[in-house]
Amino acid sequence: MKTLFTSKVEQAFHELSGVQEITAKIPYVTVDNFPKLGLMTSLRFLEWAEQNPQGVISLPTGKTPEYFIKYTQFLLENWNKPKGIEIRSQYGLGNMAKPDLSGLQFVQIDEFYPIDPRQHNSFYNYVMKYYIEGFGLEKSNSLLINSEEIPLVDNKHFLEVFPDYNIDLSLRYREATSVVEEMQQKSIFMIDNWCTSYEQKIRDKGGIGFFLGGIGPDGHIAFNTRGSDHFSTTRLTKTNFETQAVAAGDLGGIEVSRNRLVITIGLDTITHDPNAVSIIFAAGEAKADIVKGSLESEPDAIYPASVLQRQKNSRFYLTTGAACKLTDSVNQFYKTGDWTKAKSERAVIDLCQKINKYGHHLTLEDLKADPYTSQIPDLNEGTVQTVIDSIKKKLEKGMKPDTNEVIYHTGPHHDDIMLGIMPYTNRQMRSATNDVHFSVLTSGFTAVTNGFVIGVLKECQEFIAKGEIQMLEYPDFFEVGFSKKWDKDVYHFLNSVAARNQNGKRRGLCHRVIRAIVETWKVNSKEHLNETIAFIIADLESSYDGGKNSPEVQKMKGMIREFEEELVWAHFGTPVKNVHHLRLGFYKGDVFTETPEKNRDMLPVLEEFRKYKPTIISLAMDPEGSGPDTHYKVLQAIAGAVKEWKEEEDLSKLRIVGYRNVWFKYHPSEADSIVPVSLNALDVMENSFTESYLSQVNASFPSYEYDGKFNELTQKVWVQQLKQIQLLLGKNFFYENSHPLVRATHGLVYIKEMNAEEFVAMAQDLEKAVEENPF
């Protein structure tokens, strides 16, 4: 393979990638998993730092840099130890001296404004913890964005000027209409001047020499969102919905991030030095479309990262999933290896989309004119029909009922199973011969806002004062009674749903929350309960949005999510004992979730398999962490458990069902079963989501793809998938079909089925990624 890169690190990883040709407008390097993305980025950074010991650097915040940070710290601490030498030698840096990072000049990329710099969710705090302290950089050499150090009118604190954190940027262009607005207007212009000064200080240093950044769902780099001027500089600005949705996790909900402005360096700031190394890294197929647009378009305001075409040393570092839609990747998919049925299916289905033509209308000339369908062996008039028949078989398989099975559905978070495969689970639960279990592997407390809990706790106080929490009067309630009849809470709640009794529903929720408080805080009396509720309310009201809660509050929030999950499946008669809450220990609400450990995280899953002996296991198939990194880490725990269980039991008949949801979608050529979705199934999902996921109905943490409830986005995905198949099979296949289930189809779910052998083989790549992880 010819040398494309001057960096030894990039060349080493490029050679390992197997990529044959790069035609994109910016060179890129691919790796096969999320941790390795961090390793490559770390090694390239250290390579550059050794060559530029006084260079100007700008490094990212958030969750994407997790392995970049961990590998950098590990390598610096183990530079001349066996593992450090092994890693360096493998990737071209075997003879390089250990770099000294203390002379580097750091530039903070962006920050929410205003935000207390001491909050753990401020980027300033992140930079101080992981870069200034973690990498041993000098603060005196750094340009940082500290909200408290940006001067405002009369030296006021930002909360004196913007007490509700809201900043009206229209004051830049209109007259102030009050004394308060005059104060705010002057302060906005002072912030603008500070931004200009910040920009000038960067340029006085010669510009940024090494820039590393993630890429947002809309293509943003730093906070330069879609539509940003390619000659933009440091500024105070608004963000768009996609960015607000991503930031919701940092700030405690979309209701906070929607109204918070940001200070960001500009696209021209990043590219000011034409010789700089600017790297964008991205993981997972969820980023594939924006990566393709950024790498294959001319410079375009729709793709902010396309500005990096100005710099000869710009690079994209990608997982294979993030790169999968690049023209180079598609070409390589079809050109390498044996031709398979899946390749034919993908080529024909994609051709229907490309030329907007129904499958049965495709001609042999259409197939020959396309660069991919033209490669199908023995191409003839019947080729399309072969693909049509194959997809019909997948649909038939998706309609085949499961009977006499022990089914163990797993989800990384609460609502993942519903959003992934609810129409499939509904059919399984209709047969009394099936024993169906639902297991959520993490607590999910981060999805419950402080405001939601405060509201529920105040309702608890009201119900207690009115004597409407009758279980408190049972003589043994605080000793043991609180731990009994949890099914009753669920049944009474759903009775209130049926009766349209809003007060009854809220009372039912309060029953469960009170049980959680008694268990968690070891409450021993009614008086103690009232004191504890008041204490929790005061604690939450004094906490900032997005702040890390105490372990007790985390547990209570998680138990609220667990109640919600029980409510969903109780709609179909599933008892509480069949809804399992594993609360795996790696999930702690920190910036970076821990790597799964065998004893703590894998063994609890294995014990479940040993206990229930499932014949079908479902799981969220997200091997590159396209969605939250929890998906990826839960998959690692399940993979380890199945591998170990396989050593103990004959799993030759075990079926592993992989599903995806709103974060990550299958192509129909990858799916083994296609499950029809009726309007009735969509209504069931809508009603059960709305009535059960009480903390999620207002979508405090929405997907960047849709400003609303997750079930509505899921419905949108399933409808789009139907349109994809309709274009191949024809609409009349559905509405004229002899099978009533097909005639009732208004959406489709794609799932992938594996046996234990296939799953363990796939999981070995995940396991290898864990084994290679040295920390």
Side-chain angles (χ1 to χ4, degrees):
M1 189 179 295
K2 67 178 183 178
T3 300
L4 296 174
F5 303 95
T6 56
S7 159
K8 293 179 179 178
V9 171
E10 289 176 350
Q11 184 62 24
F13 277 96
H14 175 63
E15 289 174 1
L16 288 169
S17 71
V19 172
Q20 301 295 318
E21 183 181 27
I22 294 179
T23 62
K25 296 181 182 299
I26 300 172
Y28 60 89
V29 187
T30 62
V31 293
D32 55 12
N33 60 61
F34 185 42
K36 196 162 283 184
L37 188 68
L39 172 62
M40 175 169 59
T41 310
S42 170
L43 287 165
R44 179 65 184 108
F45 167 65
L46 293 170
E47 180 185 34
W48 185 90
E50 194 272 336
Q51 297 165 354
N52 302 272
Q54 272 77 50
V56 181
I57 62 172
S58 206
L59 304 176
T61 53
K63 290 186 179 293
T64 304
E66 173 182 1
Y67 288 102
F68 162 70
I69 291 169
K70 288 180 176 178
Y71 268 115
T72 300
Q73 292 175 335
F74 176 83
L75 288 166
L76 290 172
E77 291 167 5
N78 296 274
W79 193 263
N80 290 313
K81 293 179 182 178
K83 188 63 178 177
I85 294 171
E86 177 190 339
I87 292 173
R88 291 193 289 112
S89 299
Q90 188 176 356
Y91 299 107
L93 301 185
N95 297 321
M96 194 180 90
K98 179 181 176 180
D100 178 2
L101 305 189
S102 62
L104 295 175
Q105 304 173 71
F106 186 87
V107 174
Q108 185 174 338
I109 294 175
D110 49 22
E111 180 60 283
F112 302 112
Y113 185 85
I115 191 169
D116 187 325
R118 289 169 290 275
Q119 290 183 193
H120 93 285
N121 56 348
S122 76
F123 292 162
Y124 175 89
N125 183 278
Y126 185 110
V127 165
M128 290 297 298
K129 179 177 179 179
Y130 293 111
Y131 294 139
I132 305 300
E133 297 168 14
F135 284 10
L137 307 179
E138 292 289 340
K139 186 180 178 185
S140 58
N141 276 351
S142 304
L143 293 178
L144 303 176
I145 306 174
N146 182 330
S147 293
E148 291 189 332
E149 294 179 358
I150 298 174
L152 302 177
V153 69
D154 298 330
N155 292 316
K156 291 181 182 291
H157 188 270
F158 60 73
L159 284 178
E160 296 178 273
V161 181
F162 309 109
D164 56 1
Y165 292 91
N166 288 343
I167 302 175
D168 182 0
L169 289 183
S170 73
L171 286 167
R172 281 178 175 155
Y173 316 111
R174 64 175 176 84
E175 289 187 20
T177 58
S178 67
V179 173
V180 171
E181 282 199 345
E182 285 180 7
M183 174 181 66
Q184 292 178 338
Q185 185 181 61
K186 290 177 182 177
S187 294
I188 289 170
F189 288 132
M190 291 178 74
I191 297 168
D192 290 339
N193 284 330
W194 183 91
C195 290
T196 301
S197 174
Y198 191 84
E199 179 75 23
Q200 188 60 53
K201 288 175 182 177
I202 297 171
R203 294 185 182 232
D204 288 345
K205 292 175 179 288
I208 296 167
F210 183 94
F211 174 85
L212 175 62
I215 187 166
D218 69 323
H220 74 250
I221 54 175
F223 274 125
N224 295 283
T225 58
R226 183 181 59 250
S228 292
D229 185 346
H230 280 202
F231 292 92
S232 56
T233 57
T234 303
R235 63 205 184 279
L236 174 69
T237 185
K238 294 180 178 181
T239 57
N240 56 13
F241 170 74
E242 293 99 324
T243 305
Q244 292 159 7
V246 172
D250 293 312
L251 292 176
I254 188 74
E255 55 274 11
V256 180
S257 61
R258 202 188 291 275
N259 297 311
R260 193 68 60 92
L261 299 189
V262 296
I263 291 175
T264 182
I265 63 174
L267 295 175
D268 198 55
T269 319
I270 295 168
T271 57
H272 175 70
D273 179 358
N275 297 312
V277 171
S278 295
I279 297 169
I280 300 298
F281 57 169
E285 284 188 34
K287 294 288 178 69
D289 285 318
I290 200 65
V291 164
K292 178 178 174 65
S294 300
L295 285 178
E296 296 186 352
S297 299
E298 297 294 331
D300 192 322
I302 294 176
Y303 301 111
S306 63
V307 74
L308 299 183
Q309 293 175 35
R310 293 178 188 170
Q311 296 172 304
K312 63 181 180 181
N313 294 318
S314 292
R315 302 285 184 267
F316 269 59
Y317 291 177
L318 307 166
T319 63
T320 50
C324 73
K325 293 190 178 180
L326 292 175
T327 300
D328 298 334
S329 299
V330 178
N331 287 340
Q332 188 165 346
F333 169 76
Y334 285 111
K335 287 179 181 177
T336 58
D338 296 332
W339 191 272
T340 62
K341 185 176 76 169
K343 287 184 179 180
S344 295
E345 289 177 7
R346 181 184 286 267
V348 170
I349 291 169
D350 288 353
L351 178 60
C352 291
Q353 300 279 330
K354 277 188 278 187
I355 64 176
N356 193 28
K357 202 169 185 180
Y358 285 107
H360 58 281
H361 290 160
L362 289 177
T363 65
L364 189 56
E365 287 68 34
D366 292 329
L367 299 176
K368 289 179 177 178
D370 182 74
Y372 305 127
T373 53
S374 61
Q375 298 178 44
I376 297 175
D378 303 319
L379 191 65
N380 59 63
E381 297 283 358
T383 296
V384 175
Q385 189 59 48
T386 302
V387 172
I388 289 173
D389 291 343
S390 177
I391 295 300
K392 285 180 179 179
K393 285 180 181 177
K394 294 182 181 186
L395 193 59
E396 289 170 9
K397 186 175 180 182
M399 294 190 293
K400 184 179 178 182
D402 292 315
T403 55
N404 297 299
E405 303 278 8
V406 180
I407 303 164
Y408 194 93
H409 292 296
T410 71
H413 306 92
H414 306 84
D415 73 22
D416 276 333
I417 302 170
M418 166 192 267
L419 298 174
I421 47 171
M422 192 176 204
Y424 175 60
T425 66
N426 291 356
R427 221 161 290 147
Q428 292 172 327
M429 288 184 285
R430 289 192 190 114
S431 173
T433 67
N434 291 326
D435 180 20
V436 186
H437 298 256
F438 298 91
S439 182
V440 181
L441 276 68
T442 66
S443 167
F445 55 80
T446 58
V448 183
T449 63
N450 289 350
F452 177 84
V453 176
I454 290 168
V456 174
L457 292 177
K458 288 183 176 179
E459 287 180 309
C460 288
Q461 289 176 320
E462 293 174 9
F463 283 123
I464 292 170
K466 294 176 183 176
E468 293 184 12
I469 308 293
Q470 295 164 356
M471 63 184 181
L472 299 180
E473 307 306 324
Y474 298 162
D476 66 345
F477 177 76
F478 293 100
E479 289 75 34
V480 69
F482 71 90
S483 64
K484 299 178 178 178
K485 296 187 178 180
W486 291 47
D487 278 272
K488 187 178 179 182
D489 295 341
V490 172
Y491 186 70
H492 281 186
F493 184 98
L494 294 183
N495 272 346
S496 295
V497 170
R500 299 187 180 275
N501 180 349
Q502 291 297 321
N503 187 67
K505 287 194 295 183
R506 301 307 294 181
R507 186 165 156 253
L509 172 60
C510 288
H511 267 80
R512 179 57 69 90
V513 170
I514 287 169
R515 290 185 194 275
I517 291 170
V518 172
E519 176 181 305
T520 304
W521 277 269
K522 311 300 180 190
V523 173
N524 55 32
S525 67
K526 194 172 176 180
E527 182 181 15
H528 187 198
L529 175 62
N530 280 316
E531 291 171 357
T532 303
I533 293 173
F535 166 78
I536 301 168
I537 291 173
D539 176 45
L540 292 177
E541 288 182 335
S542 66
S543 301
Y544 58 86
D545 291 312
K548 187 174 179 180
N549 298 126
S550 68
E552 293 82 8
V553 171
Q554 288 180 350
K555 182 179 178 182
M556 178 184 62
K557 284 185 171 183
M559 292 173 82
I560 290 172
R561 293 293 275 143
E562 291 166 1
F563 179 55
E564 293 174 341
E565 193 74 11
E566 291 165 8
L567 290 174
V568 168
W569 305 117
H571 276 70
F572 306 91
T574 303
V576 167
K577 68 181 180 64
N578 278 34
V579 183
H580 311 290
H581 313 296
L582 299 196
R583 304 178 187 173
L584 296 188
F586 75 82
Y587 186 90
K588 295 181 177 177
D590 295 322
V591 174
F592 304 138
T593 55
E594 297 179 6
T595 300
E597 296 175 4
K598 179 176 179 179
N599 290 341
R600 182 189 63 189
D601 301 308
M602 186 271 282
L603 287 183
V605 183
L606 177 59
E607 286 302 320
E608 290 283 288
F609 294 164
R610 287 169 173 163
K611 181 177 180 181
Y612 298 108
K613 300 190 183 305
T615 55
I616 299 174
I617 297 171
S618 78
L619 48 87
M621 191 63 70
D622 190 357
E624 285 193 10
S626 283
D629 61 349
T630 311
H631 290 193
Y632 175 74
K633 293 175 179 179
V634 161
L635 186 56
Q636 289 176 328
I638 296 173
V642 170
K643 183 180 179 184
E644 191 113 345
W645 193 35
K646 187 172 176 290
E647 300 298 316
E648 305 169 1
E649 298 268 353
D650 175 12
L651 301 185
S652 58
K653 295 183 179 178
L654 175 67
R655 293 160 55 197
I656 308 284
V657 174
Y659 64 85
R660 293 178 176 172
N661 60 22
V662 294
W663 301 102
F664 196 29
K665 294 129 187 133
Y666 281 121
H667 190 279
S669 64
E670 299 173 294
D672 299 289
S673 299
I674 299 178
V675 180
V677 182
S678 66
L679 281 177
N680 178 58
L682 293 174
D683 285 344
V684 167
M685 183 173 68
E686 163 68 29
N687 291 331
S688 56
F689 187 97
T690 303
E691 295 291 0
S692 303
Y693 291 121
L694 306 168
S695 66
Q696 306 304 302
V697 169
N698 293 323
S700 286
F701 303 97
S703 166
Y704 59 82
E705 295 182 77
Y706 183 74
D707 190 359
K709 295 184 294 185
F710 274 113
N711 68 287
E712 294 172 355
L713 175 57
T714 295
Q715 179 171 335
K716 183 179 173 184
V717 170
W718 292 346
V719 169
Q720 287 171 342
Q721 290 179 169
L722 171 63
K723 289 179 179 177
Q724 188 178 30
I725 297 301
Q726 280 178 334
L727 201 51
L728 176 71
L729 303 184
K731 291 183 180 179
N732 61 320
F733 168 80
F734 289 91
Y735 66 76
E736 294 178 353
N737 203 285
S738 61
H739 198 301
L741 188 54
V742 177
R743 291 198 303 274
T745 298
H746 294 281
L748 294 173
V749 174
Y750 300 153
I751 58 179
K752 183 174 180 61
E753 191 169 306
M754 294 164 279
N755 59 37
E757 288 282 352
E758 292 167 331
F759 178 65
V760 168
M762 183 278 297
Q764 283 176 343
D765 292 334
L766 288 171
E767 191 174 45
K768 186 179 178 184
V770 175
E771 288 173 353
E772 289 178 350
N773 180 349
F775 23 83

